[in-house]
Amino acid sequence: MLFTLYGDYVRHYGSTIWVGSLIALMTELGFTPPAVRAAVSRMTRQGWLAASRSGRSSYYALSPRGQERIDEAAQRIFKLHPERWDGRWRLLAIAAAERDRKRRDQIRRELVWMGYAALSRGVYLTPNDLFERTAALADRYGLTGRCEMFTADHDGPTPDAGLAARHWDLRAIDAAYAEFIAEWQPRLDRHRAAAGDEGAPGTSAPASAADTPADATCFVEKTRLVHAFRKFLFIDPGLPQDLLPERWTGTQARGVFSTYYHLLTEGALRFFERHYRPAPGHEGDLPRGRQAARRDPFRPPLPVL
């Protein structure tokens, strides 16, 4: 949940926040102050956060590694449609197996999280161009010089879509998207009804201000929504449209996610900003963050001319 808070809120506001703000926000989500402090300490030890102090106050910022992970996750979470495929496969071959089993498992989990499938021990496959991210991973784990990356054509006999279905459990992923819709579509409908949304079934007039869902409710609901959708980072490799089944529930699920996210955003951000306290000298992070957090994350950035 802390990753979700940093990814969906704090990263827009300079990536640094007072621990008291984190505790207030996490308390709203049902966590105790000791649990929050323990989680923050653990994330700091693991290298995701960097701690600093000003007087008696503690602040926690995303480390470069944490910022990189959050940015990559955001690109995948807020992608409404699969990318077009160039028809090429990418292969990663790690020359020597790690003797340290724990470290080997960490590398494997990182690669699977990025979207690779394991072909055999030390050999991984993906249809996506992950070479730049893979090079950064190799550098972080000291694998530079011990791995090679290839771009390849697949000549069969299995069709490309069949190859994808063999190495990724697309039925299970599709079922997980269906479960997401079953839980979150009714919640979206209830929110629309409470807010007097004209598109909601059974509503004919706008709700009064007193009937509008409170900012705290929007914050809790939006944070849980993003947190629930984040699980697909661990199971969905983000395959191109050409390799997906004709009927893919992920498209509908992303539509539900996007619609509800937009409806909850303004109230959630107002609640966050009431509790957010920047580090001394970073007071400018609030107005900049206010603007950055309200940009539509589902729209691709404009190309630089």
Side-chain angles (χ1 to χ4, degrees):
M1 191 64 80
L2 278 171
F3 264 111
T4 300
L5 276 182
Y6 270 91
D8 203 40
Y9 301 94
V10 183
R11 75 184 179 101
H12 298 298
Y13 297 79
S15 298
T16 304
I17 191 170
W18 174 47
V19 70
S21 297
L22 281 178
I23 289 173
L25 294 166
M26 293 288 281
T27 297
E28 195 70 25
L29 294 164
F31 296 91
T32 65
V36 176
R37 292 184 184 277
V40 167
S41 296
R42 184 166 60 252
M43 288 180 67
T44 303
R45 290 195 304 272
Q46 292 173 345
W48 301 113
L49 299 177
S52 62
R53 293 188 66 85
S54 178
R56 299 179 63 182
S57 298
S58 297
Y59 298 84
Y60 290 87
L62 286 169
S63 66
R65 178 189 176 201
Q67 187 73 56
E68 180 183 344
R69 174 57 59 90
I70 290 292
D71 290 344
E72 180 182 348
Q75 290 175 16
R76 294 169 58 189
I77 289 173
F78 297 113
K79 182 185 295 183
L80 280 177
H81 305 288
E83 294 182 356
R84 298 184 63 180
W85 190 36
D86 62 4
R88 311 295 296 280
W89 292 87
R90 278 77 181 177
L91 288 165
L92 169 67
I94 301 177
E98 284 288 329
R99 295 180 180 178
D100 183 341
R101 181 176 178 180
K102 182 178 179 181
R103 189 163 178 267
R104 185 174 67 239
D105 289 344
Q106 287 177 336
I107 295 169
R108 179 186 57 80
R109 284 196 299 269
E110 288 272 9
L111 291 170
V112 171
W113 186 86
M114 289 168 63
Y116 279 100
L119 288 183
S120 61
R121 187 169 179 175
V123 181
Y124 297 86
L125 175 75
T126 178
N128 299 322
D129 185 357
L130 301 177
F131 284 176
E132 187 174 335
R133 297 175 188 173
T134 304
L137 178 76
D139 182 63
R140 185 162 67 245
Y141 280 95
L143 296 174
T144 303
R146 292 176 47 197
C147 64
E148 297 294 340
M149 294 175 276
F150 305 87
T151 300
D153 292 315
H154 175 232
D155 295 326
T158 306
D160 286 314
L163 184 66
R166 180 189 302 167
H167 293 289
W168 289 278
D169 193 343
L170 299 184
R171 287 187 179 181
I173 299 170
D174 195 74
Y177 277 121
E179 290 176 5
F180 177 87
I181 294 170
E183 177 178 357
W184 289 96
Q185 181 70 63
R187 294 166 78 152
L188 166 60
D189 294 340
R190 287 194 297 270
H191 182 92
R192 279 174 160 169
D197 191 313
E198 292 180 358
T203 60
S204 57
S208 67
D211 294 331
T212 302
D215 291 349
T217 301
C218 290
F219 169 78
V220 171
E221 191 74 346
K222 178 171 176 277
T223 307
R224 289 177 175 165
L225 171 73
V226 176
H227 193 66
F229 206 76
R230 276 186 69 242
K231 72 178 182 181
F232 293 106
L233 292 173
F234 300 91
I235 64 173
D236 185 354
L239 298 177
Q241 184 69 50
D242 312 62
L243 302 179
L244 293 173
E246 185 175 347
R247 298 185 64 180
W248 181 243
T249 311
T251 303
Q252 182 184 351
R254 288 183 178 275
V256 172
F257 174 56
S258 171
T259 301
Y260 203 13
Y261 184 96
H262 284 113
L263 288 177
L264 295 166
T265 290
E266 188 57 39
L269 290 176
R270 283 196 301 264
F271 183 83
F272 173 82
E273 288 169 359
R274 283 201 291 272
H275 291 278
Y276 167 72
R277 182 170 129 188
H282 289 262
E283 289 76 14
D285 290 343
L286 179 56
R288 286 193 294 269
R290 185 172 286 138
Q291 182 179 16
R294 285 164 174 79
R295 295 193 191 104
D296 187 350
F298 295 92
R299 289 189 177 184
L302 294 174
V304 179
L305 300 178

